Amino acid sequence: MLSRAQKRLQREFEEMTRHYQDTFPVEIPENDTNRMTWYVSFIGAEGSIFAGERYTLEFRFSDNYPIEAPDVIFRGAYPHHEHVYSNGYICLSILYDDWSPSMKVSSVVMSIQSMLSSATRKSRPANDASFVSYAGGRSPKTFNWIFEDEKC
Amino acid sequence: MSEPSESSDWDMEVDDESEDLPEPALIRQKSYTILHLSEIEQRVNEIASEYSELLGISKDEALILLTHYHWKLHKLQDSWLDNEMRVRIEAGILLPPAGYEVAKSRGKKLGSIKLVRGTEGCCQICYENKLDRDALQCGHSYCKSCWRQYLENLLYERTIAGGKCPMHSCPLKVPESMILGYLQGEKAENYKRLKCEEFINQNQAYRWCPAPGCSYVVEYENLGVHGISCKCGYFFCFACGEEAHRPVSCNLVKSWIVKNSAESENITWIIANTKQCPKCRNPIEKNQGCNHMTCRREVNGCGHEFCWLCLGPWTDHNSATGGFYKCNKYDELMSGTNNAFKQEESKREKAKTELDKYIWYFERYNNHHKAQKIASEKQVPAMEEKMQELHDFKQYPIGELEFLKQAAEQVIKCRRVLKWTYCFGYYLKSGAEKDLFEHLQEKLEENTEHLHELVEKPLDEFMSADVIDRSPFYQHKSELTNYFQVTKTFMEHLLDGIENGLTA
Ligand SMILES: [Zn+2]
Ligand SMILES: [Zn+2]
Ligand SMILES: [Zn+2]
Ligand SMILES: [Zn+2]
C-alpha cells in the first residue's frame, strides 16, 4: 500500500513525465523501491549567465511530504551563485520557512532556475568554507537560514 | 546573642520627610494575581468577544486581528478607525480586492471570513479527487484529511496561532473555529495552550512563574521591581524573572549571575594565577611555593625552565639572585624603567585582590543560599509535621501553632535577603554608606542565627503525654513570636533603608 506521500509523488511523477519530460527530466534510482529520492535536471535559462549549463537537483522526500518540504540540494556540478554552497546546499526561502504544501517539484525547480537567472555574475557565498565544514552531513533543513534578499 | 528589643529600634536615622516621598510600602502592596492557564484562556476569550462586539466582526476574526496586533489593543483600535479594510487585509481575514489601493479603502465596511465548500475537483495537496473539501474565502480548497495533516503540522511547529491557508503566499489566516474543528482532544488543548502562550509572551502585564514545572501565570499592572509569591511557593521578581532579590536591583543581579558563572570567573583566576611561558607562550599555572617554573612537556609545553617573577631563564638564577623564593632580578625590574613588565604585574596583582574579594563575598552569599535551601526544603515541612503532632496528641488548636511555621518561613526570608546583601555589598563602594550597611547586615545576621536556633529548638518536651502544664509551651511561643516580629521588622527596615540610602 502506498503512503500519502508516495501517492502524491506518483501523481507528480506522471505530471512531470507528461509536461516536463524535455525541460526537467526526472530520474529515480532503481534501488530506491520507495521512490522517495529523485534526481531532476534542468538547463540554465536562455539569456542568463548560466545559459546552457546543465545541473542536477537531488530531492529527498519524507513521509510527511508535501506538508513538510523536501530536502533539495545540487548534486555533482553546482552553479557558482551567491546562494549555492559548494556542498550543494541552497539558500532559498521556499525550501525552508516559506515552504507550502501547494508547491511541488516542478515549481521548486522553476524557482531555482529563476534564482540563477536573476544573478548578474558568478560568485560564491561569503561564508562558504566555514558553512560547508560546519554543515557536515546534516540535512539543510536543520539550519537557521537567514534570507538576505527577496530572491533568496 | 543580641538582645532582640534593642534591634527593633535600630540606630539608623529615620527620615521624617519620608511622607512626602512615594511610600515604598504602598508600592509593595500585593497588586498582582496568580492565574491558572485556564483563567488566561478565559481572559483571552473575553477580550476576543469584546472586540468581536466592538468591531462588529466574528470572534474568529477578532482573535486573528488581536494576534496580528500582538494584543496591543490600542494599536488595533487606532488602526481600525484609520482604515478598517487595510487592517483586515494585513491581518489576513480579507483578500485584497482587484485594483486595491490603500488610499481608496478608507471607511469601507466589509463582510466576514467564511468557509467555502468545494465542489468536485482535485485537492491541491494530495492531488486526489475528493468531494468533501474545505476552503477559506480565497477558494483554495483541500480535502479534510489534508487540512487535518496540515494543521497538525503547524501545531507541531508551534506556528498555528497565525497559521495561513496552505496555498503558497495566500495571506488568509485559518480561523480558530476551523482549527478546533480539525484538532480534537489533546491536540485542541495544545492549540489553546499555544494561543495562551502567545498572549502571555506579548503582554507586558503577564509573566510565567519561572519555577521549573510551574504553570501559573502572574498578572501584574504596575511594572517595576516587585516580588511575586506564586501559588507553587516560589518567590520571584516580576521585572527580571529571577528569584526575588531585594535589596539588589535587577541589573546587579544580572551582573552577579554572570560573574558567578564558572566561565567568567575562570578568566579572572587565570589572570591571577598563570603566566605564559616566555619561550612558547603556553599558559603556566603557579601552584604556590617556589619560583622555579618548568613549562611541562606533558601538557604540550616546551620544557623551558624560568623564574615565575622575572620570567628570565632559570639558569641565570642562583643563590646570588635570591634563591628559590626571592628574585632580585624581579625587584630590579619593578624598580626599573620597564613599564610593560610593571603594567603586566599590576594587572595580575589587581586580579588577585579582586579575586580574593569576590571569593569572600561569594562564600557568604553561597552559605546563606544553602541555608535558605535547606530551610525551605527540610525545615518547613518538618515543622508542619510537628504542628500536626502537637495538634493530634496535645490538642493545641492549629491556629495557635501557626507561629511555628511563620517563624520558620521568616528564617527563609532572612536568608534570602542576607544572601542578596552579599551581592549588594560586593558592588558597594567603600565609604560611610558601606560601613553602616555592613554594621546592619551583621546585626541582621545575628538576629537570623538566633531566630534559626529558636526555630530548631526540639518540641519534644511539649509533646510528652505526661506533661499537663502548658505554660512552658506558651512561654516558648511568646519568646519565638517576639523574636520573629523583631527580626521581621528589622529586616524590613534594613531593606527600606538600603533602597532609599542609609546615610542619605
Ligand atoms: Zn487532500
Ligand atoms: Zn488560500
Ligand atoms: Zn509557580
Ligand atoms: Zn529583578
Side-chain angles (χ1 to χ4, degrees), chain B residues 8-264:
Chain B
S8 68
D9 218 345
W10 51 327
D11 42 5
M12 194 192 104
E13 211 179 296
V14 178
D15 195 350
D16 281 329
E17 286 160 8
S18 62
E19 271 145 286
D20 301 332
L21 300 164
E23 179 61 75
L26 265 182
I27 313 168
R28 279 183 220 110
Q29 264 172 19
K30 199 173 166 183
S31 60
Y32 59 87
T33 327
I34 307 289
L35 298 169
H36 190 259
L37 201 59
S38 62
E39 293 169 289
I40 295 286
E41 213 218 323
Q42 208 180 324
R43 201 143 303 193
V44 167
N45 287 335
E46 278 164 17
I47 301 175
S49 300
E50 191 190 320
Y51 274 76
S52 149
E53 231 169 86
L54 186 71
L55 308 180
I57 52 180
S58 70
K59 216 179 129 188
D60 270 338
E61 291 171 307
L63 196 58
I64 292 171
L65 294 189
L66 288 160
T67 310
H68 179 74
Y69 278 90
H70 301 306
W71 297 90
K72 309 257 178 303
L73 307 180
H74 291 294
K75 205 173 155 211
L76 168 58
Q77 281 189 32
D78 290 350
S79 312
W80 184 266
L81 281 176
D82 180 49
N83 190 336
E84 185 182 320
M85 186 168 181
R86 183 178 176 174
V87 169
R88 285 173 192 260
I89 290 169
E90 283 175 0
I93 62 171
L94 176 76
L95 285 176
Y100 164 71
E101 280 171 58
V102 173
K104 288 185 188 162
S105 58
R106 277 169 208 269
K108 284 217 172 127
K109 283 265 170 200
L110 292 146
S112 256
I113 199 166
K114 48 180 160 294
L115 295 184
V116 180
R117 250 310 111 84
T119 49
E120 188 159 2
C122 187
C123 162
Q124 286 307 299
I125 292 179
C126 65
Y127 290 2
E128 306 212 14
N129 269 320
K130 296 241 176 94
L131 256 185
D132 221 6
R133 290 178 301 146
D134 264 350
L136 301 178
Q137 197 187 33
C138 53
H140 301 128
S141 65
Y142 307 94
C143 77
K144 295 205 155 183
S145 90
C146 285
W147 266 113
R148 176 167 296 111
Q149 210 191 354
Y150 174 70
L151 292 172
E152 282 174 3
N153 190 59
L154 291 184
L155 182 69
Y156 174 74
E157 290 183 339
R158 302 173 63 86
T159 52
I160 195 153
K164 290 179 184 165
C165 165
M167 175 54 84
H168 180 58
S169 73
C170 175
L172 287 192
K173 301 256 175 75
V174 185
E176 178 172 270
S177 58
M178 183 171 180
I179 293 171
L180 292 175
Y182 281 106
L183 306 179
Q184 278 103 24
E186 204 185 317
K187 287 185 180 123
E189 291 312 308
N190 286 347
Y191 159 73
K192 288 178 189 166
R193 194 186 158 91
L194 270 178
K195 175 177 76 168
C196 294
E197 280 178 12
E198 234 0 75
F199 172 77
I200 292 160
N201 297 342
Q202 300 292 351
N203 235 305
Q204 291 231 311
Y206 295 86
R207 188 189 260 284
W208 292 98
C209 167
C214 176
S215 54
Y216 280 112
V217 176
V218 197
E219 182 188 42
Y220 178 48
E221 293 302 335
N222 247 329
L223 296 173
V225 184
H226 200 299
I228 304 278
S229 166
C230 181
K231 281 183 186 166
C232 74
Y234 193 60
F235 190 44
F236 66 97
C237 167
F238 189 88
C240 70
E242 289 297 335
E243 183 196 36
H245 50 69
R246 285 187 72 199
V248 185
S249 71
C250 297
N251 281 340
L252 277 194
V253 169
K254 214 168 140 197
S255 321
W256 181 249
I257 289 171
V258 170
K259 191 156 186 58
N260 292 349
S261 71
E263 212 177 39
S264 89

Side-chain angles (χ1 to χ4, degrees), chain A residues 45-140:
Chain A
E46 277 313 309
S48 76
I49 52 167
F50 297 100
E53 295 175 19
R54 176 171 287 279
Y55 294 107
T56 302
L57 293 163
E58 177 180 307
F59 282 72
R60 284 177 183 273
F61 306 97
S62 75
D63 283 336
N64 206 14
Y65 177 80
I67 301 294
E68 197 184 295
D71 277 359
V72 184
I73 59 170
F74 277 100
R75 197 183 154 78
Y78 59 92
H80 289 206
H81 182 278
E82 57 174 333
H83 296 322
V84 178
Y85 290 85
S86 55
N87 58 359
Y89 288 20
I90 306 157
C91 176
L92 181 66
S93 68
I94 59 150
L95 296 178
Y96 312 104
D97 296 359
D98 284 349
W99 169 258
S100 107
S102 66
M103 283 185 283
K104 48 189 176 179
V105 174
S106 57
S107 60
V108 170
V109 181
M110 280 186 253
S111 301
I112 291 171
Q113 196 181 32
S114 89
M115 175 184 94
L116 296 189
S117 300
S118 59
T120 50
R121 62 187 180 92
K122 292 192 178 184
S123 63
R124 290 276 192 79
N127 59 340
D128 186 50
S130 63
F131 174 76
V132 170
S133 73
Y134 170 71
R138 290 190 283 162
S139 155

